[in-house]
Amino acid sequence: MLRIPATMLRRSSRGYCVSKHGTALPKRRISSSLIDIAPEVRETLRHTPQLVVALESTIITHGMPYPHNLDTALEVEQIVRQQGAVPATIAIVGGRIKVGLAADQLRLLARNDSGTQTLKTSRRDMAYVMATGRNGGTTVAGTLLVADAVGIRIFATGGIGGVHREGERTMDVSADLIELGRCPVAVVSSGVKSILDIPRTLEYLETQGVCVTTYGSEDCEFPAFYTRSSGSKAAYNLTSATVAAKMLHMNRALGLGSGILIGVPIPERYAMDASEMNAVIAEALGDAERKRIQGKEVTPFILSAVSALTRGKSLDANMGLIKNNAHVAADIAVELARLENGSSSSSEMERKDDTSLAADGAGAPLIIGGSVIDICISVLEDDLKLDGATYHAKQDSSAGGVARNIAEGIYKIYGNVNLISAVGNDQNGVHIRKLLPEHCASSIVTLGNCPTASFTVLLDRKGDCQLVVGDMEAHKAITPDWIKSHTELIQQSPMTVIDANISEAAMITVFEECIRYNRPVFFEPTDMRIAARPFYSDNAKLTILAKRAIKFISPNIHELAQIAQALHYPGSIPTKSMNEYGQSMSYLLTLDRLDCS
């Protein structure tokens, strides 16, 4: 963990108050010496701060029972990463503010038998929790306070607090509402918890200057956590992540200094019946009053009681909606990064307006090869043995595959790309296609009888690799016939890039078509075991075509050694000397003049 530098905590466009003498005074912020920031989050905040999505920790410490809380926290972080953003779970551990938690810290907060009391921490509690060196699960208000201090602009949660029922008598109003009025952070939630007085909560937010919108709800029907409708209306509806990102951008440009609440309805498959929930909540509230539950203990008590009364259905709904909200928040973060990072030079919008880059991919580079889901399983327990026992672990997954990675990179930099690949008719296939332009779908084979290729690594607690397995069967669907059916992509492309995952027959087809249309081939060797596939002497046709078609190649030193050996390189085969590497590359880059027979 690293401490965030003070320069990252400064704001120049806002954060001032006026003294009694009328002098503008800087708004006090959290001292940077009190904040530890995870390396991944730190680097992202430094280079692309829009991509960081804040996550609260009270949902872990007080919102769900173990192990559901830990599993949900890990899955939510995974969802944010899958969408291309960076999760930053915020909490207090040992009296230190943490922005981005390691797996062992998440587990510490999730378990209630660790011997250390974890306190529900809002703004009012923060000084005490930190001064006494305790652990704290930050509420929406506490998370907003920290997120704003370090420059995070998007925050995903389940539901925010609000005005409690009979709040006009008890004056019980959540600090979440006040903090939303103070911090220019967008909170993506399934509205206000349905145990609260939602109409009065929306009125209070309006007074605080907080813009309240719905997301994907044409009638602006504001959600009520467990149910898709509360009976109250939001002022506006955001139709897409792009529209939401534009609003966040404008909110910052105006220097309003207040937040935005984006209400995302719970997915229909998790939504509960409104009348049933109202009856259950009324019973839980009555129970809380009889037991004299007060203050910050009310919400955890009610949520637990509602879960028991609904026989766990409300817990399933809670887990489902927070995952969906994380997905939406990450999508908005990615769009915000595209909008603001492009505006400083050649923006994505400018690229789309460029007539040289057609919306259907005409004239864009063509990539041919594998699309994979990379899965990394990190065991969180000591003494791992491959003996069939069950171990608690954290799983991270992301879209991968050499060809797919290259295609996504070109798309983000150049603004357009074409990809010939293969995926399964499954969720992983949907995710891979979503990361690329829509027109790529027509050249990606979707297999009904084969899953998307996957690559799984098992790491022990120390991070050492214990097992690697892969299912690459889907790559076989990239056939010569499929490539020939998309010859126009080769003809229109300034360059065709292939990886070594495709078959020799497919390579021959690519080389023949590229030679026919005088298009250069960039060969990415992929792995030392298959790097020399186009150059084996026992397939003379493939080797001859490779020499003519390949103009660029990008091997590492081990892959280069395999290629040099296959091409009967007359000098010493490089192993680790960069001087040898350079000499060998000079030799191999003249492939079209070699006689390798």
Side-chain angles (χ1 to χ4, degrees):
M1 302 292 288
L2 300 171
R3 292 183 179 178
I4 185 169
T7 54
M8 295 180 65
L9 299 180
R10 294 176 186 147
R11 300 288 188 278
S12 59
S13 61
R14 57 172 299 275
Y16 288 88
C17 58
V18 178
S19 73
K20 63 180 180 180
H21 302 293
T23 306
L25 297 174
K27 178 181 175 181
R28 289 187 176 274
R29 292 189 174 275
I30 300 173
S31 170
S32 60
S33 64
L34 302 176
I35 302 177
D36 298 328
I37 189 163
E40 177 190 23
V41 180
R42 175 190 177 92
E43 286 304 305
T44 307
L45 286 172
R46 178 178 295 167
H47 301 292
T48 321
Q50 302 90 343
L51 285 178
V52 180
V53 176
L55 303 169
E56 64 157 299
S57 49
T58 296
I59 201 168
I60 304 171
T61 60
H62 293 79
M64 298 178 187
Y66 182 84
H68 300 290
N69 53 356
L70 178 58
D71 293 339
T72 301
L74 294 171
E75 288 181 50
V76 166
E77 289 198 348
Q78 177 185 336
I79 288 168
V80 172
R81 287 194 175 92
Q82 285 179 335
Q83 299 310 114
V86 176
T89 302
I90 293 173
I92 298 175
V93 179
R96 302 278 310 168
I97 296 174
K98 306 290 183 179
V99 180
L101 299 181
D104 58 337
Q105 292 171 328
L106 285 171
R107 189 178 186 189
L108 172 68
L109 295 175
R111 296 181 67 95
N112 56 13
D113 59 354
S114 61
T116 303
Q117 183 185 14
T118 301
L119 300 180
K120 186 177 178 183
T121 307
S122 185
R123 172 188 280 264
R124 72 158 193 185
D125 313 290
M126 197 165 287
Y128 173 79
V129 173
M130 296 182 66
T132 56
R134 301 193 181 208
N135 297 335
T138 53
T139 63
V140 169
T143 305
L144 277 169
L145 181 65
V146 176
D148 182 39
V150 300
I152 299 175
R153 295 164 61 190
I154 302 177
F155 167 24
T157 185
I160 70 165
V163 178
H164 282 249
R165 300 188 185 193
E166 298 188 6
E168 70 279 11
R169 177 177 61 85
T170 64
M171 298 299 291
D172 192 348
V173 179
S174 171
D176 296 353
L177 308 185
I178 299 172
E179 212 63 51
L180 261 168
R182 291 171 171 166
C183 300
V185 177
V187 177
V188 179
S189 78
S190 290
V192 180
K193 294 183 178 71
S194 48
I195 62 177
L196 304 171
D197 187 330
I198 295 177
R200 282 191 171 91
T201 297
L202 295 180
E203 288 290 343
Y204 197 96
L205 286 169
E206 180 181 352
T207 301
Q208 293 293 317
V210 177
C211 180
V212 178
T213 77
T214 54
Y215 185 90
S217 179
E218 293 183 0
D219 57 1
C220 295
E221 188 68 34
F222 194 71
F225 199 66
Y226 296 120
T227 58
R228 293 176 61 83
S229 173
S230 65
S232 298
K233 299 280 188 179
Y236 310 104
N237 175 57
L238 302 175
T239 57
S240 68
T242 301
V243 175
K246 290 179 179 178
M247 184 175 179
L248 268 64
H249 175 72
M250 188 56 65
N251 189 64
R252 183 184 182 90
L254 289 169
L256 298 177
S258 54
I260 299 171
L261 177 61
I262 301 175
V264 182
I266 181 174
E268 289 188 11
R269 65 182 181 277
Y270 298 115
M272 303 187 69
D273 180 73
S275 58
E276 176 189 356
M277 284 307 303
N278 287 335
V280 167
I281 290 170
E283 184 177 348
L285 286 170
D287 193 23
E289 187 172 356
R290 285 189 297 273
K291 294 181 179 180
R292 298 185 178 180
I293 306 297
Q294 297 178 342
K296 65 180 182 180
E297 303 303 326
V298 171
T299 299
F301 176 86
I302 298 296
L303 291 177
S304 177
V306 167
S307 178
L309 291 169
T310 59
R311 298 180 180 179
K313 288 193 294 184
S314 65
L315 177 59
D316 292 338
N318 197 355
M319 292 188 292
L321 65 85
I322 180 58
K323 294 173 188 176
N324 184 60
N325 294 344
H327 190 292
V328 172
D331 285 345
I332 296 172
V334 170
E335 288 301 317
L336 183 62
R338 287 175 179 168
L339 174 67
E340 295 189 343
N341 290 343
S343 62
S344 60
S345 54
S346 56
S347 70
E348 184 179 51
M349 300 178 94
E350 289 171 338
R351 292 199 298 265
K352 288 182 178 179
D353 291 337
D354 190 341
T355 56
S356 66
L357 297 175
D360 61 359
L366 171 62
I367 319 299
I368 304 175
S371 294
V372 176
I373 288 293
D374 292 327
I375 302 171
C376 179
I377 300 175
S378 302
V379 176
L380 303 179
E381 300 180 27
D382 296 323
D383 301 324
L384 171 64
K385 297 177 182 178
L386 302 180
D387 55 2
T390 300
Y391 295 88
H392 196 76
K394 174 185 177 182
Q395 175 179 304
D396 292 316
S397 63
S398 59
V402 172
R404 193 219 65 84
N405 289 343
I406 294 172
E408 184 180 357
I410 290 176
Y411 174 49
K412 289 180 176 179
I413 297 172
Y414 181 65
N416 213 345
V417 75
N418 288 303
L419 174 66
I420 294 178
S421 189
V423 298
N425 185 20
D426 51 28
Q427 185 176 0
N428 289 334
V430 171
H431 174 60
I432 285 174
R433 290 194 296 271
K434 186 176 180 180
L435 294 174
L436 293 162
E438 292 183 5
H439 64 259
C440 285
S442 62
S443 56
I444 298 177
V445 185
T446 301
L447 307 171
N449 59 349
C450 181
T452 301
S454 61
F455 181 85
T456 304
V457 178
L458 178 67
L459 306 178
D460 62 21
R461 190 180 182 90
K462 297 178 181 178
D464 295 329
C465 180
Q466 297 297 318
L467 185 68
V468 179
V469 293
D471 177 4
M472 305 297 171
E473 191 70 18
H475 296 339
K476 294 181 180 179
I478 310 172
T479 62
D481 289 341
W482 184 252
I483 293 171
K484 287 180 179 178
S485 69
H486 295 87
T487 299
E488 76 281 359
L489 298 181
I490 295 177
Q491 183 178 3
Q492 298 170 0
S493 172
M495 175 183 290
T496 295
V497 182
I498 67 169
D499 69 21
N501 284 309
I502 63 176
S503 66
E504 293 183 8
M507 286 184 182
I508 288 174
T509 300
V510 172
F511 295 153
E512 287 177 336
E513 296 302 312
C514 287
I515 290 170
R516 176 181 302 171
Y517 295 109
N518 193 29
R519 295 292 183 265
V521 173
F522 190 121
F523 176 60
E524 166 45 56
T526 306
D527 186 277
M528 63 180 293
R529 293 169 298 176
I530 55 177
R533 179 172 283 174
F535 311 113
Y536 289 127
S537 57
D538 58 351
N539 192 331
K541 182 178 181 180
L542 176 60
T543 302
I544 292 170
L545 289 172
K547 290 191 299 178
R548 294 182 59 191
I550 296 176
K551 305 300 180 184
F552 306 94
I553 189 169
S554 57
N556 62 35
I557 199 164
H558 303 293
E559 294 162 350
L560 180 63
Q562 296 298 314
I563 295 170
Q565 185 175 6
L567 287 170
H568 308 294
Y569 174 56
S572 60
I573 295 177
T575 54
K576 57 183 178 180
S577 167
M578 291 308 295
N579 184 47
E580 288 181 310
Y581 182 91
Q583 293 173 356
S584 302
M585 282 300 294
S586 298
Y587 177 83
L588 293 175
L589 285 173
T590 60
L591 287 174
D592 57 336
R593 299 196 298 272
L594 293 179
D595 180 7
C596 298
S597 58

